[in-house]
Amino acid sequence: MSEPLYLAPRLESRPAALLDSPAFLHPLITALGSPLNVVLPDQLADNVRRFRDVYARHRLTGRICFAHKANRSSALVRRLAATAPATATATTTGIDVASLGELQHALGGGFTPDRIVATGPKDPDFLWLAARTGVTVAVDSPAELAALAALVERFGLPRVPVLPRLSEFTAPGTRILTRRSRFGTPAAEADTLLDLVEKHHGSVEFTGVSYHLDTMALAEKAVALEACLKVLDESRRRGLRPRAVDIGGGYGADYLADGDQWERYTTELTRALLGRREPITWEGHGYGLRGENGTLRGALGVYPGHRPVAGPRYLDELLTQTAPSLARPLATLLLENLYDLHTEPGRALVDQCGITLARVVEVRETAAGEPLVRLAANARDVGLEDHGLLVDPVLVPREPRGEGPPVGVYLLGNLCLESDLISRRTVFLPSAPRPGDLLAFANTAGYFMDFTADHALHQPIARKVAVYRDGDGGPWAWCLDEQYWPHLNAGDDQ
C-alpha cells in the first residue's frame, strides 16, 4: 500500500479528551443506538469568549448572534442564553432565527426578545410572532417591511426594531463587486428603502442595516461593510437614529490539524485523476475535477478543510481591512460613529462543539480487494462529504489494542442504495476497524448533524445528547439534549 493520505481532524482539548474516553462513549451507543450526536455546550461558551476578545481588541461593542440553522440542539441554545457578559457594557450574545420554529425554540430556551434577530424568508406566521414578541427583524425586502408594518398597525403593537438587509454592493473606483444574492435589497435602492422606513416610522424602529455574503473573500465583505456605513450616514441625514450594522456570518472553521496533509491530499487526488497513481476515490470520483486526455478539468468543489484564518481570527482580519474608498480601517469607522457591530456566526460559534458517533457493523472486501467498512449510520446522518468536507474519522476501539498497520477503507452507509457512501474517498485509519468499534466524526455541530438527516428506509436518525463535566477535569456526565439546562453543571455564569 502507498503511504497513507491522512486528513486528521483538528481537535481542541475538550473533544480530544472525550474521544479518549472509550469507556464512557461505548455504553452511550449501547444505550442510545448508532448513530449518536454528541454536543459539548461548554465548548460553545469558550468560543463566545474568543469572539468577545476580538470585539474588545477593537474596542467595539455589539451582539454575537448564533445562526440557529447550523444546529437544532436545545442544549447549545440554552447554554448560549446563559452566557452573560462580564460587564453591562460588554458585547452580548444573541441568536439569529430563520423560521417560526427556531423563534419559538429560542424563546423557550431562555432568550429574551431583545437578544433575538429574525432573518431569512418569513411567512405570515413567522412575521406575526416576531412582531408580537418585539424581536429585531432583518427585513429582506420592501414588501416584507410593508407587511411587518401592516401587522403592527393591525394589532396595535409597539414599534418593531428593524435591520433592513442589503445586497449587491459596489465600491467606486475599485474592481471589487460582491456577488449577487437572492436575499436583501440592492444597495443601489437603499434610498427607496429608507423612504419606506420613514413612511412607516410609527410602526418600525430603524436600528441599522444588515448584510450576509456567501463568500470567504475579505475584500468583498469590506466593500459591503463600507457601503452599509454610507447608508447609515444617509439615514442620519434624514433624521433617523441608526445604532448598529449586522454583518452576518461566514467566518468559517478550520477542520484539519495539518495544512500539509491538505496540500498533499489535493495534489495526490489530481495525480490519481490523471492516471499518474492508483485511484484513491470510489470509481474515480473527483469532487468536481476530472481528467480528460491527460488534462485536468473542472474545479475542486470542496470546503477548504485547512483554513487557519477562520472564526474569531477571520473577524479580526475583516475589522482591520481598510475601507476601499474611505481609506480607513473598518473597525475605526465603526468606533468613530459609535455603531454597534452585530455578527451571526454559525459553524464558527459551534466549532469543536459536536461529534457524531457511528458503530462499525461489518468489515469486508470487494472482489478487487478494496476494504469496505459498513456503519450503523448513513450518508444523510454523516453528511460531511455532501457538504464538501473531507476529514478523517477517529477510531474508538471497543477493546484496547495496539495501533497498526494503517489501512485504507471506504465507509459505507446502512441504506439499500448504491449511492449511500459516507466516504467516496479512501479513508486511512491507524489500524483496521472491527465490528463493535466506533468511528467518531469530529466537529459536526456546524451544519453536519441535522441538515440532511431523515428516516429513509425506516432507519433511525441520530439521537442527540449533551455531554459536560462537573468542574475542571471531573468525570463526564450526559443527558438527552432536550433535558440539558445550564444549571446542571458549574459553567452557567460565563
Side-chain angles (χ1 to χ4, degrees), residues 93-301:
T93 55
I95 191 164
D96 153 27
V97 297
S99 71
L100 174 64
E102 286 187 357
L103 175 52
Q104 293 171 313
H105 194 212
L107 291 166
F111 280 96
T112 52
D114 59 302
R115 297 173 64 191
I116 302 174
V117 57
T119 65
K122 304 172 192 68
D123 60 24
D125 299 339
F126 183 18
L127 206 57
W128 180 86
L129 187 60
R132 179 78 258 178
T133 54
V135 306
T136 298
V137 178
V139 290
D140 194 54
S141 66
E144 189 171 281
L145 194 152
L148 175 63
L151 280 172
V152 172
E153 294 161 9
R154 178 183 173 189
F155 291 97
L157 303 175
R159 295 169 73 203
V160 175
V162 295
L163 280 165
R165 185 171 180 174
L166 302 177
S167 64
E168 298 183 36
F169 304 97
T170 59
T174 73
R175 295 185 178 182
I176 299 171
L177 175 67
T178 61
R179 65 201 66 200
R180 296 181 63 187
S181 171
R182 71 186 185 92
F183 299 107
T185 301
E189 301 172 18
D191 283 343
T192 302
L193 193 63
L194 293 177
D195 290 341
L196 194 60
V197 167
E198 291 179 323
K199 176 182 176 181
H200 295 291
H201 70 277
S203 302
V204 299
E205 178 190 2
F206 180 78
T207 61
V209 293
S210 62
Y211 75 83
H212 176 84
L213 296 181
D214 187 17
T215 178
M216 300 178 189
L218 285 165
E220 287 187 55
K221 293 192 176 182
V223 168
L225 181 47
E226 181 188 59
C228 286
L229 293 173
K230 291 180 178 179
V231 172
L232 294 185
D233 286 345
E234 171 60 24
S235 72
R236 289 164 65 179
R237 284 192 287 271
R238 290 171 174 246
L240 299 173
R241 296 181 178 179
R243 303 188 296 273
V245 58
D246 187 326
I247 63 173
Y251 307 99
D254 184 13
Y255 288 97
L256 297 180
D258 187 343
D260 290 340
Q261 288 185 353
W262 177 248
E263 294 299 327
R264 181 165 177 261
Y265 182 83
T266 52
T267 297
E268 293 303 310
L269 175 63
T270 60
R271 292 185 64 234
L273 295 174
L274 292 172
R276 297 172 184 171
R277 62 158 294 160
E278 72 276 9
I280 56 174
T281 58
W282 184 261
E283 296 184 346
H285 184 75
Y287 299 101
L289 296 173
R290 65 188 185 279
E292 291 184 0
N293 301 319
T295 300
L296 192 67
R297 302 198 182 278
L300 188 61

Side-chain angles (χ1 to χ4, degrees), residues 425-438:
R425 64 186 178 89
T426 306
V427 170
F428 290 91
L429 300 173
S431 60
R434 301 173 185 173
D437 289 347
L438 300 180

Side-chain angles (χ1 to χ4, degrees), residues 305-327:
H306 182 60
R307 191 179 167 190
V309 180
R313 184 175 173 185
Y314 183 93
L315 176 61
D316 190 34
E317 292 274 340
L318 175 60
L319 292 173
T320 60
Q321 295 286 304
T322 299
S325 61
L326 297 177

